[in-house]
Amino acid sequence: MPETAHLRPSGGIVILDFGAQYAQLIARRVRELQVFSLILPCTVSVEEIRALAPAGIILSGGPSSVYDAEAPYCDPAVLRMGLPVLGICYGLQWIAHTLGGEVHPAESREFGPADLEVFDSSALFAGLPTRQKIWMSHGDHVVRLPEGFRQTGKTPKALAAVEDLARRIFAVQFHPEVRHTEHGRDILRNFVFNICGARPNWTRAGFVAETTEAIRERIGGEQAICALSGGVDSAVAATLVHRAIGDRLTNVFVDTGLLRLNEFEETMNLLERRMGLNVIGVRAGERFLGRLRGIDDPEEKRRRIGNEFIEIFAEQARELERRSGHRVGYLVQGTLYPDVIESISVRGPSATIKTHHNVGGLPAVMPFELVEPLRDLFKDEVREVGRELGLPEEMLTKHPFPGPGLAVRVLGEVTEEKLEAVRQADAIVIEEIRRAGLYSALWQAFAVLLPARSVGVMGDARSYGLTIAVRAVTSEDAMTADWARLPADVLGRISARIVNETRSVSRVVYDISSKPPATIEWE
Ligand code: XMP
């Protein structure tokens, strides 16, 4: 059981996962209503659900058809627990199929906006207009309802909402969790508060107070250590633990030589002076560069950086134990809920492949107990908690930055000269994007140094300089991303400044690929 399990308030909403992305989005929407929600694989037992004492259950959508050989399913006893149930999309089809209704396999898919007409009164749509825009995404559709059910809403093409009031089972064919469904949030609010009778039990102040207390109890008088990455997750995790145990938490921040311009100094300053954290800064650029010499394979670069990092961290932990004369028993990590979902859902259908491991992959080789105070939170909730803790906005709104740093933004072998060029170019990209007021609208923006020289003219002479690719993307969660339509004048300024100010670069290109099929990073 995760160590924060006992903090999970009862009276929340359990979401049974029939397919990853939908379940996460539903969980976020419920939490936006300040009600705790938890995603469980659809295969979970009724006893496990009951142990959490939820106020209601939501069955998520998912990409399957109930006729698929491997179609995900729950224990039908979930529908007999006496708790209100809301089925969404596949959830509706599974309920209909399981309770004796009839689902027809898809002849074509219905995807996109549709007009919902609510033609019978329903607690789910209480207080809402009888006609509203919704978002559909389904193949199969229900053609005959199980006994006890009645239809309350339809679109011109399909049945859209059904319910069995006696059993308190509600279901919709559309997706209330997506923003395109005009009153989606209100529909979920009706379900959560009016039908399930949940109360707001999930606020950031409450989270901070309870988590701090739980950490204090758990770590007691012992020592903990934390690896700061310069990013928001580890900073918030460390600040939370610092609140609980003060300077018995030691943080290690390593300058890998692969950080952005001035990032080491600025982060040290921010966390140490402004936040009062106890931070050991380790300058280790040369060690990393040495390990990377002659290596051009991206995965090998990642592996070497990871290993070097672990070595440095272990040295620091041993040194700390030697100096203090006390064992360090706990390792603080900024693991987030999406990572946890990825690892629990392998039992359910939403298994996804995790390709990236942050430099935080430490515990396997070290005798620490893990403290992961953010493992129940989504990224935006982490930012909220950070705000509650008084972390500066510049830290909270910082773009994500890969653990191996600029090493994966210098394609091929990493040298000091190339790092210098990409570091300068990166600083220009960020400065111009900030100046244009676009920073917070982007998921990430950065420069990549390509392993290609190209001909240019500088003054009267021909040059043969480096090539920089500028990358800027919008995204919700990095699983998919779109290239940002930056204004041409911003791109123009970025290009001119990079060529003028770095000297070694003679050509700048803009990356217009989306993910998929490209990835955000180039390596
Ligand atoms: P990709 O390139 O796969 O990146 O579209 C998705 C997100 O992950 C970040 N990323 C990494 N983060 N270690 C990390 O900690 C890595 O090796 C790594 N590679 C990519 C990337 O910046 C983006 O936010």
Side-chain angles (χ1 to χ4, degrees), residues 53-293:
I57 297 173
I58 297 180
L59 305 179
S60 86
S64 308
S65 156
V66 288
Y67 294 109
D68 289 349
E70 309 259 293
Y73 60 93
C74 298
D75 181 346
V78 163
L79 302 172
R80 296 191 297 270
M81 290 179 71
L83 291 170
V85 173
L86 172 64
I88 295 177
C89 195
Y90 179 87
L92 161 70
Q93 292 159 12
W94 179 81
I95 291 172
H97 185 67
T98 304
L99 295 180
E102 201 177 328
V103 178
H104 264 190
E107 280 146 28
S108 63
R109 289 185 63 81
E110 187 185 11
F111 180 82
D115 293 305
L116 169 70
E117 183 193 345
V118 180
F119 55 78
D120 204 351
S121 76
S122 163
L124 206 52
F125 302 106
L128 304 180
T130 50
R131 286 175 187 276
Q132 44 184 287
K133 288 262 175 259
I134 54 166
W135 188 262
M136 286 289 212
S137 170
H138 67 111
D140 296 358
H141 55 278
V142 175
V143 290
R144 189 168 50 78
L145 294 177
E147 215 164 297
F149 276 79
R150 69 193 172 97
Q151 194 181 160
T152 56
K154 62 174 186 188
T155 67
K157 277 195 183 158
L159 161 157
V162 302
E163 64 188 51
D164 176 347
L165 255 191
R167 285 185 277 186
R168 294 201 293 171
I169 301 175
F170 298 76
V172 292
Q173 182 58 72
F174 59 91
H175 288 274
E177 73 277 19
V178 305
R179 297 244 182 252
H180 312 287
T181 293
E182 203 180 3
H183 291 285
R185 206 185 145 91
D186 303 318
I187 294 167
L188 289 173
R189 179 185 289 119
N190 277 340
F191 178 71
V192 168
F193 293 121
N194 301 345
I195 296 171
C196 299
R199 300 232 181 89
N201 59 1
W202 188 242
T203 62
R204 37 185 165 134
F207 174 85
V208 168
E210 286 166 21
T211 308
T212 314
E213 192 45 44
I215 295 169
R216 197 174 287 136
E217 261 176 42
R218 174 150 180 244
I219 302 186
E222 293 191 50
Q223 289 206 95
I225 193 164
C226 175
L228 296 173
S229 68
V232 58
D233 306 341
S234 58
V236 172
T239 309
L240 211 44
V241 175
H242 182 251
R243 269 222 179 168
I245 63 166
D247 278 353
R248 274 180 291 110
L249 169 69
T250 303
N251 299 283
V252 177
F253 183 38
V254 179
D255 180 2
T256 55
L258 307 168
L259 299 174
R260 288 165 286 194
L261 190 69
N262 302 328
E263 188 166 20
F264 183 74
E265 297 76 7
E266 284 170 6
T267 308
M268 282 297 286
N269 190 32
L270 205 144
L271 295 171
E272 201 174 29
R273 302 221 174 84
R274 281 174 66 184
M275 296 307 298
L277 298 188
N278 175 17
V279 190
I280 299 175
V282 186
R283 294 272 193 185
E286 282 183 13
R287 281 176 67 165
F288 283 88
L289 214 58
R291 285 274 200 137
L292 291 171
R293 197 161 296 134

Side-chain angles (χ1 to χ4, degrees), residues 298-299 302 355-360 399-405 408-409 443-444 446 471 473 477-481 515 518-523:
E299 286 312 306
R302 280 195 169 81
T355 49
H356 299 126
H357 296 277
N358 214 333
V359 285
H399 287 170
F401 186 61
V408 291
R409 294 181 181 168
W443 173 265
Q444 271 173 302
F446 53 88
R471 182 84 164 129
V473 296
D477 52 11
M479 301 285 282
T480 60
K515 172 182 181 176
T519 50
I520 296 177
E521 304 290 344
W522 277 50
E523 275 197 341

Side-chain angles (χ1 to χ4, degrees), residues 212-429:
T212 314
E213 192 45 44
I215 295 169
R216 197 174 287 136
E217 261 176 42
R218 174 150 180 244
I219 302 186
E222 293 191 50
Q223 289 206 95
I225 193 164
C226 175
L228 296 173
S229 68
V232 58
D233 306 341
S234 58
V236 172
T239 309
L240 211 44
V241 175
H242 182 251
R243 269 222 179 168
I245 63 166
D247 278 353
R248 274 180 291 110
L249 169 69
T250 303
N251 299 283
V252 177
F253 183 38
V254 179
D255 180 2
T256 55
L258 307 168
L259 299 174
R260 288 165 286 194
L261 190 69
N262 302 328
E263 188 166 20
F264 183 74
E265 297 76 7
E266 284 170 6
T267 308
M268 282 297 286
N269 190 32
L270 205 144
L271 295 171
E272 201 174 29
R273 302 221 174 84
R274 281 174 66 184
M275 296 307 298
L277 298 188
N278 175 17
V279 190
I280 299 175
V282 186
R283 294 272 193 185
E286 282 183 13
R287 281 176 67 165
F288 283 88
L289 214 58
R291 285 274 200 137
L292 291 171
R293 197 161 296 134
I295 306 298
D296 57 11
D297 175 66
E299 286 312 306
E300 181 61 15
K301 290 201 283 189
R302 280 195 169 81
R303 206 179 60 74
R304 286 176 176 240
I305 293 166
N307 288 347
E308 188 63 31
F309 189 89
I310 289 171
E311 216 161 275
I312 291 174
F313 191 77
E315 285 166 20
Q316 292 299 323
R318 281 195 298 270
E319 175 61 21
L320 177 63
E321 290 186 334
R322 197 188 57 73
R323 265 189 292 122
S324 68
H326 292 289
R327 205 175 81 78
V328 178
Y330 296 88
L331 174 68
V332 178
Q333 283 200 316
T335 316
L336 303 192
Y337 195 38
D339 307 323
V340 177
I341 300 169
E342 278 192 358
S343 46
I344 58 170
S345 292
V346 288
R347 284 186 286 144
S350 73
T352 41
I353 302 155
K354 189 156 180 94
T355 49
H356 299 126
H357 296 277
N358 214 333
V359 285
L362 300 164
V365 294
M366 285 184 207
F368 298 123
E369 268 189 57
L370 274 188
V371 179
E372 297 177 307
L374 310 179
R375 59 177 288 137
D376 278 339
L377 304 190
F378 289 109
K379 187 92 178 178
D380 41 354
E381 293 178 308
V382 171
R383 292 205 175 99
E384 290 294 308
V385 168
R387 244 166 232 136
E388 180 74 22
L389 291 166
L391 276 157
E393 252 346 85
E394 67 216 66
M395 170 61 82
L396 298 175
T397 53
K398 213 169 176 185
H399 287 170
F401 186 61
L406 298 179
V408 291
R409 294 181 181 168
V410 168
L411 305 197
E413 189 190 356
V414 180
T415 64
E416 187 51 60
E417 184 215 356
K418 292 187 205 165
L419 277 175
E420 190 51 35
V422 82
R423 191 178 284 126
Q424 270 182 290
D426 178 81
I428 293 167
V429 171

